[in-house]
Amino acid sequence: MNGIVTGLGELARIADDAARLAHAIPQFTDGMALTVDDAYAVQALSLARRAARGERRVGMKMGLTSRAKMAQVGVDEMIWGRLTDAMQVEEGGTIRRSAYVHPRVEPELAFLLKAPLAGRVTAAQALAAVEAVAPALEIIDSRYRDFKFALPDVIADNSSSSGFVVGQWRRPDLDVGNLGLALLADGQPVQVGSTAAILGHPVRSLVAAARLVAQWGERLEAGWIVLAGGATAAHPLAPGMAVRADMQGLGSVSFQVGE
């Protein structure tokens, strides 16, 4: 058992260093068997290293929230990752392209919680815990060389979550089930879609989030941000790019990409 723990701890160090130093690493599953449970343990150990450096947990992100995406990678369950304060980018702010390996961006819906959530909850219970909703952008980045990875690799790499930007918070009783949206790069639409692409309704993603974190002895805390999952395919980021998402009824959220 100690050998397994030590091994997972070493993988966590490798994943953490890759994210912190923005360098590519070989995929873990290319040379070893790594289960999904192992991968979540690596993720937790990696994020514990960030906490030791002073980063504070501020929420979680959901991934593979599209049925088509699940089928594409051959799974029937969503994945999740952890958000820290160091990952949040100021709305309208600038990121450094050099701080990432393969950065891409996805438009998302963000929930701000006013009460904890954990375990099996109904959609009504989940909505009752929401203080506000907002348009958001998630910066995802796979640290694996040549963009090659299997599902456990992705999970171990914090489910590719690297940064996020949240727009203006709106009242929680707005119907967010089918909001049209567009992702723009340098003012040109590169993806269009709807929040309905997130499990048919983003609230289902929040319900799933409460269930999934409970499996690891966690709960969604009051004050946390929950990113419901990508509403469109991701778009690659390049230096000099201006990125914006427009979401029907909720407004816009944006950032710039520097060198």
Side-chain angles (χ1 to χ4, degrees):
M1 177 61 75
N2 286 338
I4 294 174
V5 172
T6 301
L8 296 183
E10 178 63 9
L11 294 183
R13 182 195 65 77
I14 293 170
D16 178 48
D17 285 349
R20 184 169 56 89
L21 303 174
H23 65 75
I25 56 176
Q27 66 181 105
F28 295 146
T29 57
D30 201 27
M32 66 179 295
L34 191 69
T35 68
V36 166
D37 283 351
D38 290 338
Y40 276 116
V42 172
Q43 181 190 127
L45 290 167
S46 178
L47 269 289
R49 294 173 61 90
R50 299 191 195 186
R53 294 196 297 269
E55 294 187 32
R56 179 175 55 87
R57 181 78 177 274
V58 296
M60 71 169 288
K61 62 75 59 89
M62 293 291 287
L64 297 183
T65 51
S66 153
R67 299 298 182 190
K69 198 76 165 285
M70 286 187 207
Q72 184 181 24
V73 298
V75 300
D76 58 5
E77 181 62 280
M78 291 149 282
I79 61 174
W80 61 279
R82 294 163 166 90
L83 303 178
T84 74
D85 58 341
M87 296 167 65
Q88 185 160 8
V89 177
E90 182 181 0
E91 203 285 321
T94 301
I95 65 167
R96 291 185 300 112
R97 168 62 181 82
S98 59
Y100 305 89
V101 181
H102 305 292
R104 301 181 178 201
V105 62
E106 295 177 341
E108 308 233 357
L109 181 79
F111 294 102
L112 178 64
L113 300 185
K114 63 182 178 182
L117 274 177
R120 294 193 175 276
V121 299
T122 66
Q125 289 170 326
L127 281 173
V130 175
E131 181 173 347
V133 296
L137 291 162
E138 184 185 12
I139 301 160
I140 58 174
D141 186 25
S142 171
R143 265 67 67 152
Y144 295 107
R145 192 174 299 153
D146 301 323
F147 210 64
K148 291 177 60 179
F149 43 78
L151 184 66
D153 298 307
V154 175
I155 294 169
D157 192 26
N158 198 29
S159 294
S160 299
S161 192
S162 301
F164 65 99
V165 191
V166 179
Q168 184 175 342
W169 293 108
R170 308 287 184 177
R171 69 178 197 268
D173 59 343
L174 293 172
D175 183 359
V176 298
N178 187 21
L179 303 179
L181 59 91
L183 177 66
L184 299 94
D186 296 325
Q188 299 300 311
V190 291
Q191 295 287 341
V192 294
S194 164
T195 55
I198 306 170
L199 293 180
H201 195 300
V203 171
R204 292 176 183 156
S205 183
L206 183 58
V207 168
R211 173 174 53 81
L212 291 173
V213 297
Q215 294 175 1
W216 284 88
E218 294 190 9
R219 68 177 187 177
L220 305 177
E221 301 289 351
W224 275 15
I225 294 166
V226 178
L227 299 181
T232 71
H235 186 73
L237 296 177
M241 185 179 289
V243 179
R244 189 178 87 236
D246 295 336
M247 191 171 290
Q248 178 185 1
L250 293 186
S252 300
V253 56
S254 66
F255 67 91
Q256 310 283 323
V257 184
E259 297 292 332

